[in-house]
Amino acid sequence: MSAEELLAAARSTLDRVGPAEAGRMQAAGALVVDIRPERFRAGEGEIPGSLPIERIHLEWRLDPTGAHRIPQVRADRPVIVVCNEGYASSLAAADLKRLGLPLATDLVGGFRAWRAAG
């Protein structure tokens, strides 16, 4: 399977959201998780109220049954994963769904789309 096929398969499992919908979901209680490296967040900014968890730690911190999970994680809480442009976040959100977070999704266009939307 190619990287493009892997991405398409991941996205076929997601109800991806744009910046406006992500903002509404966050206001309603969704957890926004920014998986970008710290240097990107420092250089470009962050979504207010988002939780930075770099990709390498994501599954351990968001496993709803794991010993290392963050307290905000519940299987019934939507999780919106954010990366730079919406590619790595799609793969990560699909992984979170398989891990037991059925409401996981990602932000179409990533942080850059959020910033462009104002």
Side-chain angles (χ1 to χ4, degrees):
M1 182 179 286
S2 71
E4 291 297 325
E5 291 168 326
L6 187 62
L7 180 62
R11 287 183 173 168
S12 74
T13 70
L14 304 173
D15 292 319
R16 302 180 76 215
V17 297
E21 180 65 14
R24 286 190 292 274
M25 289 175 67
Q26 184 182 31
L31 181 64
V32 177
V33 177
D34 190 336
I35 63 170
R36 296 176 299 146
E38 189 279 328
R39 71 180 190 282
F40 286 32
R41 295 189 314 271
E44 296 184 41
E46 298 183 31
I47 295 174
S50 66
L51 184 64
I53 300 177
E54 291 193 23
R55 179 66 183 99
I56 193 168
H57 302 288
L58 189 67
E59 284 83 359
W60 283 266
R61 305 300 286 153
L62 272 75
D63 179 350
T65 63
H68 302 288
R69 75 179 176 279
I70 58 172
Q72 298 94 319
V73 174
R74 298 186 323 265
D76 66 342
R77 184 177 191 185
V79 175
I80 304 166
V81 183
V82 177
C83 68
N84 284 334
E85 296 179 340
Y87 295 97
S89 59
S90 293
L91 298 171
D95 286 347
L96 293 178
K97 286 185 88 142
R98 285 192 297 274
L99 196 61
L101 296 174
L103 302 177
T105 190
D106 76 319
L107 178 61
V108 176
F111 177 79
R112 292 179 180 159
W114 177 279
R115 185 178 60 201

